[in-house]
Every structure is written in structure tokens, then in C-alpha cells.
Amino acid sequence: MNILVTGGAGFIGSHVVDALLQMESRSIERVIVLDDLSGGIRRNLTNDPRVSLAIGSVTDEALIDRLFCEYRFRFVYHLAAYAAEGLSHFIRKFNYTNNLLGSVNLINASVNYGTECFIFTSSVAVYGNGDSPLLETTTPVPVDPYGIAKYAIELDLATARKLFGLDFVIFRPHNVYGERQNLADKYRNVAGIFMNRLLHDLPMPIFGDGNQVRAFSYVGDVAPVIAAAPWVSDARGESFNLGSDNACTVNELAGMVADAIGKPDLREYHPARHEVRVAFCDHQKAQRTFLNLQNTLLLDGLKHMANWAKTTEITPSQTFEFIEIERNLPESWKS
């Protein structure tokens, strides 16, 4: 049994790889990780001899064809994406090239080489301004290019299943945090941004009044469910919200991050940006389908993450190099 994990050297992807290898009853022969290392890093990967790293992008059709031809993957876990929802307004071509066209390359190869099941990490960004708690039956109306790309792939997988028989499982995780998160990325993953700033004795940046409501999900709760998905027959052909049931404001998150990291609660407020005000999900469908879902308390998960962050090398926040539109770009995001 050969498995492909795209983005497998990244944050969630590397945890999915670990979860796969812990499923001893599944007789996994080889896990190929495809990652361009733009966000992932080699040290995230286990030394297990069943794991091999192929360095490259999902936009490289020739590379993808070679990998599928050689390994004939039974399952494909697609986690590679540039998941900067707010920034996606200003990097539209980059977003659609990597998150949409790259995904299509994988779907094409999965059909052509007989992949049994395609596991796709979408996002709650597909819901846009839908009323919370968001349900899988809520009609997706994404309001940013990132959410548009994710929803387009969801629709494409549905058509590929009808026409070619490619099974899929779609997950819509939200605000995942934890060990191995890229703390140098100042555009996404607010818990990581806050920790980076505090560890450099800088204030946590908050857009608007900080009363935006989100539910933050610990990676240790999310990754094992994604890994197990293709072996759960009732999950095939379905979409699932995946993450924490406990919502809080960004202001409350900031206080908990400062507590977890053991630093003064320093904050700086910036003008509000274009984003959904309240977004959290209902998870009853996942609870009915997957057994023993975990729901780590936010402060406990942040303490796990903080303990890891204190022992890892943390570089200052990095500026994204490929901004396509400067108009209305938040000042703190400009180089």
C-alpha cells in the first residue's frame, strides 16, 4: 500500500504522516511526501524508513506523473496549499495556480492511475459569511480567493467521482494550531503569529477590535481523523467540518497565548481588514462518522504548543515576496 501526502513536511501534513505510520494494522508499505519546502521543513518528517521525501510542487505536472507512475498510490492525502485566506485577495494568481490548478493536477493523475480515494483538506473559508454554527448543509458562498479555490476543488471532486469513480473524503478544518506550525509566517495562523511576536518581546498584532469569534483546533485532535478517513466507509463521498467546538474571541485568544508562553500580554491594534466577523462550526456529522473524536481545551493545547516553541529556533516574521496587488493591502503586511 503506497500513499501520497502532499504538503507532508508542513504543519498539519507532517502530523498526518505520523498518524498514518501509527496505524500498524493498515499494512502501509510506503508514504511518499511531496513538498516544495516553501512552508514545510525536513525536520518535521520522521526518520521512519517507510517515508520518502520528493521535493517539488503540485504545479509540476511531469513530477506528479512520474510519482504516480512509479508508486501507483492507493490513497492521496492532499494538504499542500498556501492557506493565507486574508492575503489571498492580494495574491490571486499565486492562489489559484497553487491551490486550484495544483489540485487539478493531482485529481487528473489520481483518475489516470487508478487511485482509490482522494482525501482533501478544504477549509471553512468555503462558507464565507454563513451563519454560525456552520453546518455541512450550509450553502458555501466563499468571499475570498482562497475559499473560492477550495470550494472549486470540492465541486471538481464530486464530478470526478460521478464520472470516473474516484472516491473522496473532504475535510473543512479551521484555525488549526500546535507543534510544528510555521511561526515565521505573519499572514496566517494567528496563534503562531502571537507566539512569535511575544517570543521576540513584540506586541501581538490584532486587526480591528479583536472581538472576531473563531474556534481554534489543536492539531493532535485533527490529524488522526484525516489519516483514518479512507478506511471509514461512511466517510466516502462526504464532507466534514473538523475541529474544536469551543469558540472564543481573538482578544481572549491573545490572553491565553500570553499565559501559555509566560510573557506579558502585549498587544497592538490595527485597522480592521476584510474578513468574516463570526465563524465557528458544528461537528455533529464528524462525531457520528468517526469514533472517539478528541476536543483538547484551548489553553491546554496552547501550552503544548508553547513548550515546543520555546525549544525550537524561531526566526522573525517573514514578508511574502509575491504580492500582486498593493491596493488596500494592510500596512503591517507591506515590506
Side-chain angles (χ1 to χ4, degrees):
M1 184 188 299
N2 294 332
I3 290 173
L4 175 67
V5 181
T6 71
F11 168 43
I12 302 178
S14 63
H15 284 276
V16 169
V17 171
D18 290 349
L20 283 167
L21 297 175
Q22 292 167 9
M23 300 168 63
E24 297 180 358
S25 63
R26 299 305 180 184
S27 301
I28 295 172
E29 182 176 347
R30 185 178 294 274
V31 176
I32 304 299
V33 169
L34 175 61
D35 202 300
D36 64 5
L37 302 183
S38 60
I41 51 179
R42 291 176 183 268
R43 69 171 178 264
N44 284 344
L45 289 174
T46 174
N47 292 323
D48 191 299
R50 291 173 290 175
V51 177
S52 299
L53 172 63
I55 300 176
S57 171
V58 293
T59 63
D60 187 340
E61 294 180 64
L63 172 60
I64 289 172
D65 189 74
R66 288 198 300 271
L67 291 174
F68 274 79
C69 183
E70 180 176 356
Y71 294 105
R72 306 282 169 161
F73 299 112
R74 180 177 176 186
F75 300 141
V76 170
Y77 292 78
H78 181 29
L79 296 102
Y82 191 71
E85 185 176 352
L87 187 63
S88 68
H89 293 285
F90 308 98
I91 54 169
R92 309 174 86 86
K93 181 179 179 181
F94 183 92
N95 168 74
Y96 290 122
T97 299
N98 287 271
N99 296 347
L100 179 55
L101 297 181
S103 301
V104 170
N105 291 337
L106 291 166
I107 294 172
N108 285 349
S110 296
V111 171
N112 287 333
Y113 288 95
T115 295
E116 180 182 326
C117 190
F118 193 104
I119 300 88
F120 178 53
T121 50
S122 182
S123 169
V124 296
V126 303
Y127 294 119
N129 290 310
D131 293 333
S132 294
L134 299 162
L135 303 167
E136 290 87 352
T137 54
T138 301
T139 301
V141 185
V143 296
D144 54 67
Y146 176 69
I148 292 168
K150 287 292 190 179
Y151 188 47
I153 293 305
E154 290 193 20
L155 295 174
D156 193 72
L157 283 169
T159 61
R161 187 173 191 248
K162 290 179 181 178
L163 190 58
F164 306 114
L166 174 62
D167 252 339
F168 66 80
V169 183
I170 293 170
F171 289 104
R172 296 168 178 164
H174 50 91
N175 302 294
V176 184
Y177 70 93
E179 300 89 330
R180 304 181 199 161
Q181 196 159 62
N182 182 1
L183 301 185
D185 192 328
K186 67 179 181 179
Y187 306 100
R188 51 183 176 169
N189 306 320
V190 62
I193 292 170
F194 285 177
M195 282 195 184
N196 185 335
R197 297 279 291 187
L198 291 181
L199 287 169
H200 285 95
D201 297 316
L202 296 169
M204 295 175 282
I206 297 175
F207 292 94
D209 60 10
N211 289 321
Q212 304 93 315
V213 176
R214 300 289 188 271
F216 297 91
S217 311
Y218 183 56
V219 68
D221 299 339
V222 169
V225 181
I226 297 174
W231 287 279
V232 180
S233 59
D234 289 344
R236 299 282 184 104
E238 298 291 339
S239 301
F240 299 93
N241 294 333
L242 186 62
S244 174
D245 293 319
N246 303 313
C248 70
T249 67
V250 173
N251 283 324
E252 290 170 333
L253 173 71
M256 284 187 274
V257 170
D259 185 11
I261 207 78
K263 291 277 190 174
D265 186 351
L266 304 176
R267 309 181 188 190
E268 61 181 15
Y269 288 83
H270 299 271
R273 63 187 186 188
H274 181 74
E275 64 179 336
V276 176
R277 182 75 172 172
V278 177
F280 59 91
C281 292
D282 177 274
H283 303 101
Q284 292 185 54
K285 183 176 179 181
Q287 291 164 357
R288 291 193 302 267
T289 306
F290 302 96
L291 300 178
N292 303 318
L293 290 187
Q294 302 298 307
N295 193 10
T296 298
L297 294 176
L298 179 54
L299 184 56
D300 291 341
L302 289 172
K303 287 180 178 179
H304 293 318
M305 182 179 178
N307 290 336
W308 162 80
K310 291 175 183 177
T311 63
T312 192
E313 179 183 359
I314 301 176
T315 60
S317 296
Q318 301 166 351
T319 299
F320 189 78
E321 298 178 0
F322 307 108
I323 300 296
E324 300 160 17
I325 298 175
E326 293 280 348
R327 182 178 176 182
N328 295 334
L329 184 70
E331 287 295 326
S332 63
W333 285 356
K334 293 180 180 179
S335 58

PDB file of all heavy atoms in Angstrom, residues 73-97:
ATOM      1  N   PHE A  73      -0.330   5.094  -6.298  1.00  0.00           N
ATOM      2  CA  PHE A  73      -0.846   5.386  -4.955  1.00  0.00           C
ATOM      3  C   PHE A  73      -2.275   4.891  -4.782  1.00  0.00           C
ATOM      4  O   PHE A  73      -3.149   5.181  -5.599  1.00  0.00           O
ATOM      5  CB  PHE A  73      -0.803   6.894  -4.693  1.00  0.00           C
ATOM      6  CG  PHE A  73       0.572   7.478  -4.755  1.00  0.00           C
ATOM      7  CD1 PHE A  73       0.917   8.352  -5.775  1.00  0.00           C
ATOM      8  CD2 PHE A  73       1.523   7.153  -3.806  1.00  0.00           C
ATOM      9  CE1 PHE A  73       2.185   8.901  -5.842  1.00  0.00           C
ATOM     10  CE2 PHE A  73       2.798   7.684  -3.867  1.00  0.00           C
ATOM     11  CZ  PHE A  73       3.121   8.565  -4.892  1.00  0.00           C
ATOM     12  N   ARG A  74      -2.494   4.187  -3.682  1.00  0.00           N
ATOM     13  CA  ARG A  74      -3.853   3.759  -3.359  1.00  0.00           C
ATOM     14  C   ARG A  74      -4.658   4.936  -2.798  1.00  0.00           C
ATOM     15  O   ARG A  74      -5.826   5.132  -3.155  1.00  0.00           O
ATOM     16  CB  ARG A  74      -3.825   2.620  -2.336  1.00  0.00           C
ATOM     17  CG  ARG A  74      -5.222   2.130  -1.973  1.00  0.00           C
ATOM     18  CD  ARG A  74      -5.168   0.959  -1.014  1.00  0.00           C
ATOM     19  NE  ARG A  74      -6.510   0.553  -0.606  1.00  0.00           N
ATOM     20  CZ  ARG A  74      -6.770  -0.373   0.320  1.00  0.00           C
ATOM     21  NH1 ARG A  74      -5.769  -1.009   0.912  1.00  0.00           N
ATOM     22  NH2 ARG A  74      -7.999  -0.674   0.639  1.00  0.00           N
ATOM     23  N   PHE A  75      -4.010   5.709  -1.909  1.00  0.00           N
ATOM     24  CA  PHE A  75      -4.668   6.864  -1.315  1.00  0.00           C
ATOM     25  C   PHE A  75      -3.808   8.101  -1.528  1.00  0.00           C
ATOM     26  O   PHE A  75      -2.575   8.033  -1.453  1.00  0.00           O
ATOM     27  CB  PHE A  75      -4.880   6.675   0.191  1.00  0.00           C
ATOM     28  CG  PHE A  75      -5.730   5.484   0.557  1.00  0.00           C
ATOM     29  CD1 PHE A  75      -5.405   4.706   1.658  1.00  0.00           C
ATOM     30  CD2 PHE A  75      -6.852   5.155  -0.174  1.00  0.00           C
ATOM     31  CE1 PHE A  75      -6.177   3.618   2.015  1.00  0.00           C
ATOM     32  CE2 PHE A  75      -7.641   4.056   0.166  1.00  0.00           C
ATOM     33  CZ  PHE A  75      -7.296   3.281   1.269  1.00  0.00           C
ATOM     34  N   VAL A  76      -4.464   9.227  -1.779  1.00  0.00           N
ATOM     35  CA  VAL A  76      -3.792  10.516  -1.891  1.00  0.00           C
ATOM     36  C   VAL A  76      -4.363  11.446  -0.826  1.00  0.00           C
ATOM     37  O   VAL A  76      -5.581  11.657  -0.767  1.00  0.00           O
ATOM     38  CB  VAL A  76      -3.985  11.141  -3.290  1.00  0.00           C
ATOM     39  CG1 VAL A  76      -3.485  12.587  -3.312  1.00  0.00           C
ATOM     40  CG2 VAL A  76      -3.266  10.314  -4.345  1.00  0.00           C
ATOM     41  N   TYR A  77      -3.484  11.986   0.013  1.00  0.00           N
ATOM     42  CA  TYR A  77      -3.864  12.987   1.001  1.00  0.00           C
ATOM     43  C   TYR A  77      -3.325  14.330   0.513  1.00  0.00           C
ATOM     44  O   TYR A  77      -2.106  14.533   0.458  1.00  0.00           O
ATOM     45  CB  TYR A  77      -3.252  12.671   2.365  1.00  0.00           C
ATOM     46  CG  TYR A  77      -3.796  11.438   3.040  1.00  0.00           C
ATOM     47  CD1 TYR A  77      -3.381  10.162   2.650  1.00  0.00           C
ATOM     48  CD2 TYR A  77      -4.704  11.541   4.092  1.00  0.00           C
ATOM     49  CE1 TYR A  77      -3.871   9.027   3.277  1.00  0.00           C
ATOM     50  CE2 TYR A  77      -5.186  10.409   4.737  1.00  0.00           C
ATOM     51  CZ  TYR A  77      -4.767   9.155   4.320  1.00  0.00           C
ATOM     52  OH  TYR A  77      -5.251   8.024   4.945  1.00  0.00           O
ATOM     53  N   HIS A  78      -4.225  15.217   0.170  1.00  0.00           N
ATOM     54  CA  HIS A  78      -3.800  16.491  -0.410  1.00  0.00           C
ATOM     55  C   HIS A  78      -3.925  17.605   0.623  1.00  0.00           C
ATOM     56  O   HIS A  78      -5.005  18.117   0.893  1.00  0.00           O
ATOM     57  CB  HIS A  78      -4.644  16.810  -1.649  1.00  0.00           C
ATOM     58  CG  HIS A  78      -4.267  18.079  -2.325  1.00  0.00           C
ATOM     59  ND1 HIS A  78      -2.988  18.597  -2.306  1.00  0.00           N
ATOM     60  CD2 HIS A  78      -5.019  18.971  -3.053  1.00  0.00           C
ATOM     61  CE1 HIS A  78      -2.956  19.725  -2.980  1.00  0.00           C
ATOM     62  NE2 HIS A  78      -4.176  19.978  -3.432  1.00  0.00           N
ATOM     63  N   LEU A  79      -2.766  17.975   1.200  1.00  0.00           N
ATOM     64  CA  LEU A  79      -2.716  19.044   2.193  1.00  0.00           C
ATOM     65  C   LEU A  79      -1.876  20.227   1.740  1.00  0.00           C
ATOM     66  O   LEU A  79      -1.802  21.240   2.436  1.00  0.00           O
ATOM     67  CB  LEU A  79      -2.165  18.515   3.530  1.00  0.00           C
ATOM     68  CG  LEU A  79      -3.017  17.459   4.224  1.00  0.00           C
ATOM     69  CD1 LEU A  79      -2.462  16.069   4.020  1.00  0.00           C
ATOM     70  CD2 LEU A  79      -3.161  17.770   5.700  1.00  0.00           C
ATOM     71  N   ALA A  80      -1.240  20.126   0.589  1.00  0.00           N
ATOM     72  CA  ALA A  80      -0.394  21.216   0.103  1.00  0.00           C
ATOM     73  C   ALA A  80      -1.266  22.383  -0.345  1.00  0.00           C
ATOM     74  O   ALA A  80      -2.151  22.219  -1.180  1.00  0.00           O
ATOM     75  CB  ALA A  80       0.475  20.734  -1.056  1.00  0.00           C
ATOM     76  N   ALA A  81      -1.015  23.549   0.222  1.00  0.00           N
ATOM     77  CA  ALA A  81      -1.753  24.764  -0.156  1.00  0.00           C
ATOM     78  C   ALA A  81      -1.062  25.947   0.504  1.00  0.00           C
ATOM     79  O   ALA A  81      -0.394  25.796   1.538  1.00  0.00           O
ATOM     80  CB  ALA A  81      -3.215  24.705   0.286  1.00  0.00           C
ATOM     81  N   TYR A  82      -1.237  27.119  -0.088  1.00  0.00           N
ATOM     82  CA  TYR A  82      -0.833  28.331   0.621  1.00  0.00           C
ATOM     83  C   TYR A  82      -2.097  28.881   1.268  1.00  0.00           C
ATOM     84  O   TYR A  82      -2.913  29.536   0.630  1.00  0.00           O
ATOM     85  CB  TYR A  82      -0.198  29.356  -0.312  1.00  0.00           C
ATOM     86  CG  TYR A  82       0.451  30.478   0.491  1.00  0.00           C
ATOM     87  CD1 TYR A  82       1.612  30.226   1.216  1.00  0.00           C
ATOM     88  CD2 TYR A  82      -0.125  31.725   0.579  1.00  0.00           C
ATOM     89  CE1 TYR A  82       2.189  31.211   1.997  1.00  0.00           C
ATOM     90  CE2 TYR A  82       0.445  32.724   1.353  1.00  0.00           C
ATOM     91  CZ  TYR A  82       1.606  32.472   2.060  1.00  0.00           C
ATOM     92  OH  TYR A  82       2.175  33.453   2.833  1.00  0.00           O
ATOM     93  N   ALA A  83      -2.238  28.591   2.554  1.00  0.00           N
ATOM     94  CA  ALA A  83      -3.515  28.799   3.243  1.00  0.00           C
ATOM     95  C   ALA A  83      -3.567  30.147   3.941  1.00  0.00           C
ATOM     96  O   ALA A  83      -3.820  30.231   5.136  1.00  0.00           O
ATOM     97  CB  ALA A  83      -3.738  27.677   4.251  1.00  0.00           C
ATOM     98  N   ALA A  84      -3.318  31.221   3.191  1.00  0.00           N
ATOM     99  CA  ALA A  84      -3.412  32.569   3.748  1.00  0.00           C
ATOM    100  C   ALA A  84      -4.691  33.201   3.223  1.00  0.00           C
ATOM    101  O   ALA A  84      -4.701  33.838   2.169  1.00  0.00           O
ATOM    102  CB  ALA A  84      -2.191  33.390   3.366  1.00  0.00           C
ATOM    103  N   GLU A  85      -5.772  33.024   3.975  1.00  0.00           N
ATOM    104  CA  GLU A  85      -7.086  33.440   3.497  1.00  0.00           C
ATOM    105  C   GLU A  85      -7.155  34.941   3.254  1.00  0.00           C
ATOM    106  O   GLU A  85      -7.573  35.403   2.186  1.00  0.00           O
ATOM    107  CB  GLU A  85      -8.149  33.013   4.508  1.00  0.00           C
ATOM    108  CG  GLU A  85      -9.566  33.280   4.062  1.00  0.00           C
ATOM    109  CD  GLU A  85     -10.580  32.757   5.064  1.00  0.00           C
ATOM    110  OE1 GLU A  85     -10.185  32.057   6.023  1.00  0.00           O
ATOM    111  OE2 GLU A  85     -11.771  33.064   4.900  1.00  0.00           O
ATOM    112  N   GLY A  86      -6.754  35.753   4.240  1.00  0.00           N
ATOM    113  CA  GLY A  86      -6.816  37.196   4.076  1.00  0.00           C
ATOM    114  C   GLY A  86      -5.889  37.703   2.985  1.00  0.00           C
ATOM    115  O   GLY A  86      -6.246  38.609   2.218  1.00  0.00           O
ATOM    116  N   LEU A  87      -4.695  37.124   2.908  1.00  0.00           N
ATOM    117  CA  LEU A  87      -3.722  37.558   1.901  1.00  0.00           C
ATOM    118  C   LEU A  87      -4.139  37.164   0.496  1.00  0.00           C
ATOM    119  O   LEU A  87      -3.678  37.768  -0.483  1.00  0.00           O
ATOM    120  CB  LEU A  87      -2.345  36.973   2.229  1.00  0.00           C
ATOM    121  CG  LEU A  87      -1.168  37.444   1.385  1.00  0.00           C
ATOM    122  CD1 LEU A  87      -0.927  38.941   1.558  1.00  0.00           C
ATOM    123  CD2 LEU A  87       0.089  36.659   1.733  1.00  0.00           C
ATOM    124  N   SER A  88      -5.019  36.180   0.358  1.00  0.00           N
ATOM    125  CA  SER A  88      -5.362  35.664  -0.973  1.00  0.00           C
ATOM    126  C   SER A  88      -5.977  36.728  -1.873  1.00  0.00           C
ATOM    127  O   SER A  88      -5.901  36.624  -3.098  1.00  0.00           O
ATOM    128  CB  SER A  88      -6.303  34.461  -0.857  1.00  0.00           C
ATOM    129  OG  SER A  88      -7.585  34.835  -0.367  1.00  0.00           O
ATOM    130  N   HIS A  89      -6.562  37.778  -1.304  1.00  0.00           N
ATOM    131  CA  HIS A  89      -7.094  38.869  -2.114  1.00  0.00           C
ATOM    132  C   HIS A  89      -5.986  39.556  -2.912  1.00  0.00           C
ATOM    133  O   HIS A  89      -6.240  40.110  -3.988  1.00  0.00           O
ATOM    134  CB  HIS A  89      -7.765  39.926  -1.229  1.00  0.00           C
ATOM    135  CG  HIS A  89      -9.002  39.459  -0.548  1.00  0.00           C
ATOM    136  ND1 HIS A  89     -10.208  39.298  -1.204  1.00  0.00           N
ATOM    137  CD2 HIS A  89      -9.237  39.108   0.749  1.00  0.00           C
ATOM    138  CE1 HIS A  89     -11.134  38.891  -0.345  1.00  0.00           C
ATOM    139  NE2 HIS A  89     -10.569  38.769   0.843  1.00  0.00           N
ATOM    140  N   PHE A  90      -4.776  39.524  -2.392  1.00  0.00           N
ATOM    141  CA  PHE A  90      -3.670  40.288  -2.958  1.00  0.00           C
ATOM    142  C   PHE A  90      -2.676  39.412  -3.713  1.00  0.00           C
ATOM    143  O   PHE A  90      -1.703  39.912  -4.266  1.00  0.00           O
ATOM    144  CB  PHE A  90      -2.956  41.046  -1.835  1.00  0.00           C
ATOM    145  CG  PHE A  90      -3.900  41.856  -0.994  1.00  0.00           C
ATOM    146  CD1 PHE A  90      -4.366  41.357   0.223  1.00  0.00           C
ATOM    147  CD2 PHE A  90      -4.364  43.088  -1.419  1.00  0.00           C
ATOM    148  CE1 PHE A  90      -5.258  42.089   0.999  1.00  0.00           C
ATOM    149  CE2 PHE A  90      -5.261  43.820  -0.651  1.00  0.00           C
ATOM    150  CZ  PHE A  90      -5.714  43.324   0.563  1.00  0.00           C
ATOM    151  N   ILE A  91      -2.925  38.095  -3.743  1.00  0.00           N
ATOM    152  CA  ILE A  91      -2.054  37.154  -4.473  1.00  0.00           C
ATOM    153  C   ILE A  91      -2.947  36.200  -5.270  1.00  0.00           C
ATOM    154  O   ILE A  91      -2.811  34.986  -5.201  1.00  0.00           O
ATOM    155  CB  ILE A  91      -1.128  36.371  -3.508  1.00  0.00           C
ATOM    156  CG1 ILE A  91      -1.936  35.675  -2.394  1.00  0.00           C
ATOM    157  CG2 ILE A  91      -0.081  37.297  -2.891  1.00  0.00           C
ATOM    158  CD1 ILE A  91      -1.124  34.697  -1.575  1.00  0.00           C
ATOM    159  N   ARG A  92      -3.831  36.765  -6.058  1.00  0.00           N
ATOM    160  CA  ARG A  92      -4.878  35.980  -6.700  1.00  0.00           C
ATOM    161  C   ARG A  92      -4.301  34.933  -7.659  1.00  0.00           C
ATOM    162  O   ARG A  92      -4.705  33.762  -7.644  1.00  0.00           O
ATOM    163  CB  ARG A  92      -5.850  36.918  -7.423  1.00  0.00           C
ATOM    164  CG  ARG A  92      -6.350  38.052  -6.544  1.00  0.00           C
ATOM    165  CD  ARG A  92      -7.193  39.044  -7.305  1.00  0.00           C
ATOM    166  NE  ARG A  92      -8.584  38.605  -7.336  1.00  0.00           N
ATOM    167  CZ  ARG A  92      -9.461  38.857  -6.384  1.00  0.00           C
ATOM    168  NH1 ARG A  92      -9.088  39.549  -5.316  1.00  0.00           N
ATOM    169  NH2 ARG A  92     -10.701  38.441  -6.477  1.00  0.00           N
ATOM    170  N   LYS A  93      -3.385  35.335  -8.520  1.00  0.00           N
ATOM    171  CA  LYS A  93      -2.801  34.383  -9.467  1.00  0.00           C
ATOM    172  C   LYS A  93      -2.043  33.290  -8.736  1.00  0.00           C
ATOM    173  O   LYS A  93      -2.173  32.101  -9.058  1.00  0.00           O
ATOM    174  CB  LYS A  93      -1.890  35.106 -10.451  1.00  0.00           C
ATOM    175  CG  LYS A  93      -1.267  34.187 -11.487  1.00  0.00           C
ATOM    176  CD  LYS A  93      -0.381  34.959 -12.467  1.00  0.00           C
ATOM    177  CE  LYS A  93       0.267  34.014 -13.483  1.00  0.00           C
ATOM    178  NZ  LYS A  93       1.158  34.767 -14.415  1.00  0.00           N
ATOM    179  N   PHE A  94      -1.243  33.682  -7.750  1.00  0.00           N
ATOM    180  CA  PHE A  94      -0.494  32.708  -6.953  1.00  0.00           C
ATOM    181  C   PHE A  94      -1.449  31.739  -6.274  1.00  0.00           C
ATOM    182  O   PHE A  94      -1.232  30.523  -6.265  1.00  0.00           O
ATOM    183  CB  PHE A  94       0.360  33.435  -5.917  1.00  0.00           C
ATOM    184  CG  PHE A  94       1.234  32.539  -5.092  1.00  0.00           C
ATOM    185  CD1 PHE A  94       2.530  32.257  -5.480  1.00  0.00           C
ATOM    186  CD2 PHE A  94       0.765  31.968  -3.911  1.00  0.00           C
ATOM    187  CE1 PHE A  94       3.344  31.436  -4.717  1.00  0.00           C
ATOM    188  CE2 PHE A  94       1.561  31.140  -3.147  1.00  0.00           C
ATOM    189  CZ  PHE A  94       2.856  30.867  -3.550  1.00  0.00           C
ATOM    190  N   ASN A  95      -2.517  32.269  -5.701  1.00  0.00           N
ATOM    191  CA  ASN A  95      -3.509  31.444  -5.005  1.00  0.00           C
ATOM    192  C   ASN A  95      -4.130  30.415  -5.939  1.00  0.00           C
ATOM    193  O   ASN A  95      -4.184  29.220  -5.625  1.00  0.00           O
ATOM    194  CB  ASN A  95      -4.591  32.343  -4.417  1.00  0.00           C
ATOM    195  CG  ASN A  95      -5.804  31.575  -3.928  1.00  0.00           C
ATOM    196  OD1 ASN A  95      -5.779  30.916  -2.905  1.00  0.00           O
ATOM    197  ND2 ASN A  95      -6.891  31.654  -4.696  1.00  0.00           N
ATOM    198  N   TYR A  96      -4.608  30.863  -7.095  1.00  0.00           N
ATOM    199  CA  TYR A  96      -5.296  29.937  -7.994  1.00  0.00           C
ATOM    200  C   TYR A  96      -4.336  28.952  -8.651  1.00  0.00           C
ATOM    201  O   TYR A  96      -4.695  27.796  -8.897  1.00  0.00           O
ATOM    202  CB  TYR A  96      -6.096  30.709  -9.040  1.00  0.00           C
ATOM    203  CG  TYR A  96      -7.288  31.427  -8.466  1.00  0.00           C
ATOM    204  CD1 TYR A  96      -7.444  32.804  -8.601  1.00  0.00           C
ATOM    205  CD2 TYR A  96      -8.257  30.728  -7.746  1.00  0.00           C
ATOM    206  CE1 TYR A  96      -8.535  33.465  -8.057  1.00  0.00           C
ATOM    207  CE2 TYR A  96      -9.347  31.386  -7.197  1.00  0.00           C
ATOM    208  CZ  TYR A  96      -9.486  32.748  -7.351  1.00  0.00           C
ATOM    209  OH  TYR A  96     -10.569  33.391  -6.800  1.00  0.00           O
ATOM    210  N   THR A  97      -3.105  29.381  -8.919  1.00  0.00           N
ATOM    211  CA  THR A  97      -2.122  28.478  -9.511  1.00  0.00           C
ATOM    212  C   THR A  97      -1.793  27.337  -8.558  1.00  0.00           C
ATOM    213  O   THR A  97      -1.785  26.163  -8.925  1.00  0.00           O
ATOM    214  CB  THR A  97      -0.844  29.235  -9.889  1.00  0.00           C
ATOM    215  OG1 THR A  97      -1.158  30.244 -10.851  1.00  0.00           O
ATOM    216  CG2 THR A  97       0.198  28.285 -10.465  1.00  0.00           C
TER     217      THR A  97
END
